[in-house]
mmCIF file of all heavy atoms in Angstrom:
data_model
loop_
_atom_site.group_PDB
_atom_site.id
_atom_site.type_symbol
_atom_site.label_atom_id
_atom_site.label_comp_id
_atom_site.label_asym_id
_atom_site.label_seq_id
_atom_site.Cartn_x
_atom_site.Cartn_y
_atom_site.Cartn_z
ATOM 1 N N VAL A 1 -6.030 -3.303 12.572
ATOM 2 C CA VAL A 1 -5.589 -4.303 13.536
ATOM 3 C C VAL A 1 -4.386 -5.058 12.988
ATOM 4 O O VAL A 1 -4.384 -5.511 11.846
ATOM 5 C CB VAL A 1 -6.732 -5.288 13.849
ATOM 6 C CG1 VAL A 1 -6.229 -6.441 14.694
ATOM 7 C CG2 VAL A 1 -7.883 -4.568 14.540
ATOM 8 N N GLN A 2 -3.360 -5.146 13.814
ATOM 9 C CA GLN A 2 -2.185 -5.966 13.466
ATOM 10 C C GLN A 2 -1.847 -6.867 14.630
ATOM 11 O O GLN A 2 -1.816 -6.423 15.786
ATOM 12 C CB GLN A 2 -0.989 -5.079 13.126
ATOM 13 C CG GLN A 2 -1.007 -4.525 11.720
ATOM 14 C CD GLN A 2 0.365 -4.034 11.286
ATOM 15 O OE1 GLN A 2 1.022 -3.310 12.009
ATOM 16 N NE2 GLN A 2 0.787 -4.436 10.100
ATOM 17 N N LEU A 3 -1.586 -8.121 14.317
ATOM 18 C CA LEU A 3 -1.155 -9.105 15.299
ATOM 19 C C LEU A 3 0.087 -9.781 14.742
ATOM 20 O O LEU A 3 0.048 -10.323 13.637
ATOM 21 C CB LEU A 3 -2.255 -10.140 15.535
ATOM 22 C CG LEU A 3 -3.589 -9.611 16.053
ATOM 23 C CD1 LEU A 3 -4.643 -10.706 16.003
ATOM 24 C CD2 LEU A 3 -3.439 -9.094 17.480
ATOM 25 N N VAL A 4 1.167 -9.734 15.488
ATOM 26 C CA VAL A 4 2.435 -10.290 15.017
ATOM 27 C C VAL A 4 2.937 -11.314 16.023
ATOM 28 O O VAL A 4 3.355 -10.954 17.132
ATOM 29 C CB VAL A 4 3.484 -9.195 14.792
ATOM 30 C CG1 VAL A 4 4.792 -9.807 14.300
ATOM 31 C CG2 VAL A 4 2.977 -8.141 13.810
ATOM 32 N N GLU A 5 2.895 -12.576 15.613
ATOM 33 C CA GLU A 5 3.371 -13.654 16.483
ATOM 34 C C GLU A 5 4.865 -13.856 16.306
ATOM 35 O O GLU A 5 5.414 -13.630 15.225
ATOM 36 C CB GLU A 5 2.655 -14.971 16.166
ATOM 37 C CG GLU A 5 1.155 -14.952 16.332
ATOM 38 C CD GLU A 5 0.424 -14.679 15.030
ATOM 39 O OE1 GLU A 5 1.031 -14.083 14.120
ATOM 40 O OE2 GLU A 5 -0.754 -15.072 14.918
ATOM 41 N N SER A 6 5.500 -14.325 17.370
ATOM 42 C CA SER A 6 6.916 -14.666 17.324
ATOM 43 C C SER A 6 7.204 -15.699 18.399
ATOM 44 O O SER A 6 6.355 -15.965 19.257
ATOM 45 C CB SER A 6 7.783 -13.415 17.537
ATOM 46 O OG SER A 6 7.523 -12.837 18.799
ATOM 47 N N GLY A 7 8.394 -16.275 18.329
ATOM 48 C CA GLY A 7 8.826 -17.196 19.367
ATOM 49 C C GLY A 7 8.777 -18.660 18.995
ATOM 50 O O GLY A 7 9.203 -19.510 19.780
ATOM 51 N N GLY A 8 8.249 -18.967 17.821
ATOM 52 C CA GLY A 8 8.216 -20.362 17.412
ATOM 53 C C GLY A 8 9.597 -20.879 17.073
ATOM 54 O O GLY A 8 10.577 -20.126 17.031
ATOM 55 N N GLY A 9 9.665 -22.173 16.832
ATOM 56 C CA GLY A 9 10.947 -22.776 16.481
ATOM 57 C C GLY A 9 10.906 -24.269 16.592
ATOM 58 O O GLY A 9 9.836 -24.877 16.719
ATOM 59 N N LEU A 10 12.089 -24.865 16.543
ATOM 60 C CA LEU A 10 12.252 -26.309 16.655
ATOM 61 C C LEU A 10 12.678 -26.640 18.080
ATOM 62 O O LEU A 10 13.637 -26.043 18.599
ATOM 63 C CB LEU A 10 13.313 -26.790 15.662
ATOM 64 C CG LEU A 10 13.728 -28.249 15.728
ATOM 65 C CD1 LEU A 10 12.551 -29.159 15.390
ATOM 66 C CD2 LEU A 10 14.894 -28.510 14.788
ATOM 67 N N VAL A 11 11.978 -27.572 18.686
ATOM 68 C CA VAL A 11 12.282 -27.942 20.064
ATOM 69 C C VAL A 11 12.117 -29.456 20.217
ATOM 70 O O VAL A 11 11.306 -30.076 19.509
ATOM 71 C CB VAL A 11 11.369 -27.176 21.043
ATOM 72 C CG1 VAL A 11 9.906 -27.522 20.826
ATOM 73 C CG2 VAL A 11 11.788 -27.378 22.481
ATOM 74 N N GLN A 12 12.879 -30.040 21.106
ATOM 75 C CA GLN A 12 12.775 -31.477 21.356
ATOM 76 C C GLN A 12 11.571 -31.768 22.249
ATOM 77 O O GLN A 12 11.132 -30.902 23.015
ATOM 78 C CB GLN A 12 14.047 -31.982 22.022
ATOM 79 C CG GLN A 12 15.261 -31.952 21.123
ATOM 80 C CD GLN A 12 16.466 -32.598 21.768
ATOM 81 O OE1 GLN A 12 16.548 -32.731 22.985
ATOM 82 N NE2 GLN A 12 17.428 -33.001 20.953
ATOM 83 N N PRO A 13 11.059 -32.976 22.173
ATOM 84 C CA PRO A 13 9.979 -33.353 23.098
ATOM 85 C C PRO A 13 10.401 -33.116 24.544
ATOM 86 O O PRO A 13 11.541 -33.400 24.922
ATOM 87 C CB PRO A 13 9.781 -34.838 22.808
ATOM 88 C CG PRO A 13 10.217 -34.999 21.390
ATOM 89 C CD PRO A 13 11.366 -34.051 21.217
ATOM 90 N N GLY A 14 9.471 -32.569 25.318
ATOM 91 C CA GLY A 14 9.776 -32.218 26.706
ATOM 92 C C GLY A 14 10.293 -30.816 26.895
ATOM 93 O O GLY A 14 10.405 -30.342 28.024
ATOM 94 N N GLY A 15 10.600 -30.160 25.802
ATOM 95 C CA GLY A 15 11.137 -28.808 25.871
ATOM 96 C C GLY A 15 10.062 -27.753 26.046
ATOM 97 O O GLY A 15 8.870 -28.056 26.177
ATOM 98 N N SER A 16 10.526 -26.507 26.034
ATOM 99 C CA SER A 16 9.632 -25.367 26.256
ATOM 100 C C SER A 16 9.864 -24.284 25.212
ATOM 101 O O SER A 16 10.974 -24.141 24.676
ATOM 102 C CB SER A 16 9.883 -24.775 27.650
ATOM 103 O OG SER A 16 9.614 -25.708 28.661
ATOM 104 N N LEU A 17 8.809 -23.521 24.967
ATOM 105 C CA LEU A 17 8.880 -22.332 24.136
ATOM 106 C C LEU A 17 7.904 -21.312 24.696
ATOM 107 O O LEU A 17 6.881 -21.695 25.286
ATOM 108 C CB LEU A 17 8.489 -22.626 22.686
ATOM 109 C CG LEU A 17 9.489 -23.301 21.755
ATOM 110 C CD1 LEU A 17 8.814 -23.619 20.422
ATOM 111 C CD2 LEU A 17 10.725 -22.448 21.548
ATOM 112 N N ARG A 18 8.188 -20.040 24.462
ATOM 113 C CA ARG A 18 7.232 -19.003 24.785
ATOM 114 C C ARG A 18 6.913 -18.223 23.522
ATOM 115 O O ARG A 18 7.804 -17.626 22.904
ATOM 116 C CB ARG A 18 7.739 -18.044 25.854
ATOM 117 C CG ARG A 18 6.649 -17.085 26.318
ATOM 118 C CD ARG A 18 7.062 -16.164 27.445
ATOM 119 N NE ARG A 18 7.807 -15.008 26.975
ATOM 120 C CZ ARG A 18 7.863 -13.852 27.639
ATOM 121 N NH1 ARG A 18 7.221 -13.719 28.790
ATOM 122 N NH2 ARG A 18 8.582 -12.860 27.157
ATOM 123 N N LEU A 19 5.646 -18.250 23.163
ATOM 124 C CA LEU A 19 5.177 -17.483 22.019
ATOM 125 C C LEU A 19 4.702 -16.115 22.487
ATOM 126 O O LEU A 19 4.159 -15.971 23.578
ATOM 127 C CB LEU A 19 4.034 -18.202 21.315
ATOM 128 C CG LEU A 19 4.286 -19.649 20.892
ATOM 129 C CD1 LEU A 19 3.076 -20.183 20.132
ATOM 130 C CD2 LEU A 19 5.550 -19.776 20.082
ATOM 131 N N SER A 20 4.897 -15.132 21.623
ATOM 132 C CA SER A 20 4.417 -13.781 21.886
ATOM 133 C C SER A 20 3.558 -13.316 20.722
ATOM 134 O O SER A 20 3.783 -13.720 19.574
ATOM 135 C CB SER A 20 5.591 -12.804 22.045
ATOM 136 O OG SER A 20 6.424 -13.168 23.112
ATOM 137 N N CYS A 21 2.623 -12.467 21.018
ATOM 138 C CA CYS A 21 1.785 -11.853 19.987
ATOM 139 C C CYS A 21 1.666 -10.376 20.317
ATOM 140 O O CYS A 21 1.027 -10.007 21.311
ATOM 141 C CB CYS A 21 0.415 -12.501 19.939
ATOM 142 S SG CYS A 21 -0.756 -11.655 18.849
ATOM 143 N N ALA A 22 2.304 -9.564 19.489
ATOM 144 C CA ALA A 22 2.263 -8.115 19.676
ATOM 145 C C ALA A 22 1.085 -7.544 18.904
ATOM 146 O O ALA A 22 0.949 -7.786 17.703
ATOM 147 C CB ALA A 22 3.564 -7.486 19.192
ATOM 148 N N ALA A 23 0.252 -6.794 19.593
ATOM 149 C CA ALA A 23 -0.982 -6.282 19.002
ATOM 150 C C ALA A 23 -0.931 -4.771 18.839
ATOM 151 O O ALA A 23 -0.319 -4.068 19.643
ATOM 152 C CB ALA A 23 -2.170 -6.660 19.881
ATOM 153 N N SER A 24 -1.600 -4.287 17.805
ATOM 154 C CA SER A 24 -1.719 -2.848 17.589
ATOM 155 C C SER A 24 -2.971 -2.562 16.775
ATOM 156 O O SER A 24 -3.553 -3.468 16.172
ATOM 157 C CB SER A 24 -0.478 -2.299 16.872
ATOM 158 O OG SER A 24 -0.317 -2.899 15.606
ATOM 159 N N GLY A 25 -3.384 -1.307 16.783
ATOM 160 C CA GLY A 25 -4.531 -0.907 15.976
ATOM 161 C C GLY A 25 -5.869 -1.003 16.675
ATOM 162 O O GLY A 25 -6.903 -0.730 16.059
ATOM 163 N N PHE A 26 -5.870 -1.395 17.936
ATOM 164 C CA PHE A 26 -7.104 -1.459 18.714
ATOM 165 C C PHE A 26 -6.737 -1.333 20.187
ATOM 166 O O PHE A 26 -5.564 -1.398 20.553
ATOM 167 C CB PHE A 26 -7.876 -2.751 18.440
ATOM 168 C CG PHE A 26 -7.167 -4.015 18.846
ATOM 169 C CD1 PHE A 26 -7.548 -4.715 19.983
ATOM 170 C CD2 PHE A 26 -6.116 -4.526 18.087
ATOM 171 C CE1 PHE A 26 -6.901 -5.888 20.353
ATOM 172 C CE2 PHE A 26 -5.460 -5.687 18.452
ATOM 173 C CZ PHE A 26 -5.852 -6.374 19.591
ATOM 174 N N THR A 27 -7.744 -1.144 21.014
ATOM 175 C CA THR A 27 -7.509 -0.976 22.451
ATOM 176 C C THR A 27 -7.342 -2.347 23.080
ATOM 177 O O THR A 27 -8.296 -2.979 23.553
ATOM 178 C CB THR A 27 -8.660 -0.203 23.100
ATOM 179 O OG1 THR A 27 -8.849 1.033 22.399
ATOM 180 C CG2 THR A 27 -8.335 0.090 24.568
ATOM 181 N N PHE A 28 -6.124 -2.807 23.084
ATOM 182 C CA PHE A 28 -5.795 -4.178 23.477
ATOM 183 C C PHE A 28 -6.397 -4.562 24.822
ATOM 184 O O PHE A 28 -6.945 -5.666 24.971
ATOM 185 C CB PHE A 28 -4.273 -4.323 23.514
ATOM 186 C CG PHE A 28 -3.779 -5.683 23.904
ATOM 187 C CD1 PHE A 28 -3.784 -6.733 23.000
ATOM 188 C CD2 PHE A 28 -3.274 -5.914 25.184
ATOM 189 C CE1 PHE A 28 -3.315 -7.986 23.350
ATOM 190 C CE2 PHE A 28 -2.795 -7.161 25.550
ATOM 191 C CZ PHE A 28 -2.823 -8.197 24.623
ATOM 192 N N SER A 29 -6.326 -3.685 25.777
ATOM 193 C CA SER A 29 -6.756 -4.021 27.139
ATOM 194 C C SER A 29 -8.250 -4.257 27.256
ATOM 195 O O SER A 29 -8.719 -4.743 28.283
ATOM 196 C CB SER A 29 -6.337 -2.909 28.094
ATOM 197 O OG SER A 29 -6.939 -1.675 27.714
ATOM 198 N N GLY A 30 -8.987 -3.951 26.205
ATOM 199 C CA GLY A 30 -10.430 -4.130 26.245
ATOM 200 C C GLY A 30 -10.936 -5.401 25.601
ATOM 201 O O GLY A 30 -12.145 -5.634 25.551
ATOM 202 N N TYR A 31 -10.023 -6.239 25.130
ATOM 203 C CA TYR A 31 -10.429 -7.391 24.334
ATOM 204 C C TYR A 31 -9.891 -8.722 24.860
ATOM 205 O O TYR A 31 -8.713 -8.834 25.219
ATOM 206 C CB TYR A 31 -9.960 -7.222 22.892
ATOM 207 C CG TYR A 31 -10.734 -6.190 22.128
ATOM 208 C CD1 TYR A 31 -10.385 -4.848 22.209
ATOM 209 C CD2 TYR A 31 -11.810 -6.561 21.330
ATOM 210 C CE1 TYR A 31 -11.101 -3.893 21.514
ATOM 211 C CE2 TYR A 31 -12.529 -5.607 20.630
ATOM 212 C CZ TYR A 31 -12.174 -4.273 20.721
ATOM 213 O OH TYR A 31 -12.879 -3.329 20.031
ATOM 214 N N ARG A 32 -10.777 -9.705 24.841
ATOM 215 C CA ARG A 32 -10.360 -11.095 25.039
ATOM 216 C C ARG A 32 -9.405 -11.474 23.912
ATOM 217 O O ARG A 32 -9.561 -11.039 22.775
ATOM 218 C CB ARG A 32 -11.605 -11.983 24.995
ATOM 219 C CG ARG A 32 -11.375 -13.464 25.150
ATOM 220 C CD ARG A 32 -12.694 -14.206 24.954
ATOM 221 N NE ARG A 32 -13.647 -13.874 26.014
ATOM 222 C CZ ARG A 32 -13.834 -14.590 27.102
ATOM 223 N NH1 ARG A 32 -13.111 -15.693 27.293
ATOM 224 N NH2 ARG A 32 -14.728 -14.246 27.988
ATOM 225 N N MET A 33 -8.457 -12.348 24.230
ATOM 226 C CA MET A 33 -7.488 -12.819 23.240
ATOM 227 C C MET A 33 -7.436 -14.342 23.253
ATOM 228 O O MET A 33 -7.692 -14.980 24.282
ATOM 229 C CB MET A 33 -6.087 -12.262 23.542
ATOM 230 C CG MET A 33 -5.966 -10.754 23.443
ATOM 231 S SD MET A 33 -6.200 -10.126 21.769
ATOM 232 C CE MET A 33 -4.810 -10.859 20.908
ATOM 233 N N ARG A 34 -7.088 -14.891 22.116
ATOM 234 C CA ARG A 34 -7.013 -16.351 21.988
ATOM 235 C C ARG A 34 -5.768 -16.774 21.220
ATOM 236 O O ARG A 34 -5.269 -16.032 20.365
ATOM 237 C CB ARG A 34 -8.263 -16.889 21.278
ATOM 238 C CG ARG A 34 -9.511 -16.802 22.122
ATOM 239 C CD ARG A 34 -10.738 -17.275 21.364
ATOM 240 N NE ARG A 34 -11.896 -17.341 22.255
ATOM 241 C CZ ARG A 34 -13.140 -17.506 21.858
ATOM 242 N NH1 ARG A 34 -13.420 -17.622 20.563
ATOM 243 N NH2 ARG A 34 -14.114 -17.553 22.735
ATOM 244 N N TRP A 35 -5.316 -17.981 21.515
ATOM 245 C CA TRP A 35 -4.316 -18.664 20.712
ATOM 246 C C TRP A 35 -4.997 -19.864 20.068
ATOM 247 O O TRP A 35 -5.702 -20.627 20.750
ATOM 248 C CB TRP A 35 -3.143 -19.142 21.559
ATOM 249 C CG TRP A 35 -2.182 -18.078 21.928
ATOM 250 C CD1 TRP A 35 -2.119 -17.387 23.118
ATOM 251 C CD2 TRP A 35 -1.099 -17.581 21.135
ATOM 252 N NE1 TRP A 35 -1.081 -16.494 23.096
ATOM 253 C CE2 TRP A 35 -0.431 -16.589 21.889
ATOM 254 C CE3 TRP A 35 -0.626 -17.871 19.856
ATOM 255 C CZ2 TRP A 35 0.682 -15.896 21.403
ATOM 256 C CZ3 TRP A 35 0.470 -17.177 19.372
ATOM 257 C CH2 TRP A 35 1.117 -16.202 20.144
ATOM 258 N N TYR A 36 -4.756 -20.023 18.783
ATOM 259 C CA TYR A 36 -5.195 -21.179 18.022
ATOM 260 C C TYR A 36 -3.961 -21.872 17.449
ATOM 261 O O TYR A 36 -2.880 -21.291 17.377
ATOM 262 C CB TYR A 36 -6.083 -20.757 16.851
ATOM 263 C CG TYR A 36 -7.493 -20.366 17.189
ATOM 264 C CD1 TYR A 36 -7.790 -19.098 17.668
ATOM 265 C CD2 TYR A 36 -8.547 -21.266 16.997
ATOM 266 C CE1 TYR A 36 -9.091 -18.736 17.965
ATOM 267 C CE2 TYR A 36 -9.854 -20.909 17.281
ATOM 268 C CZ TYR A 36 -10.125 -19.633 17.756
ATOM 269 O OH TYR A 36 -11.416 -19.279 18.040
#
């Protein structure tokens, strides 16, 4: 199993970001996912 997050950074209050997590090594579509 590999999970690779990306998309973080420095942002001002009120701003937006989109985080991504690319998964491999398992049948992704069969599993619940979480962000912590």
Side-chain angles (χ1 to χ4, degrees):
V1 172
Q2 279 198 312
L3 300 170
V4 180
E5 300 96 337
S6 61
L10 174 64
V11 62
Q12 292 186 339
S16 298
L17 282 174
R18 188 176 82 155
L19 306 183
S20 300
C21 172
S24 61
F26 64 105
T27 306
F28 180 78
S29 60
Y31 288 85
R32 179 185 295 264
M33 296 294 296
R34 289 177 173 169
W35 282 99
Y36 284 81

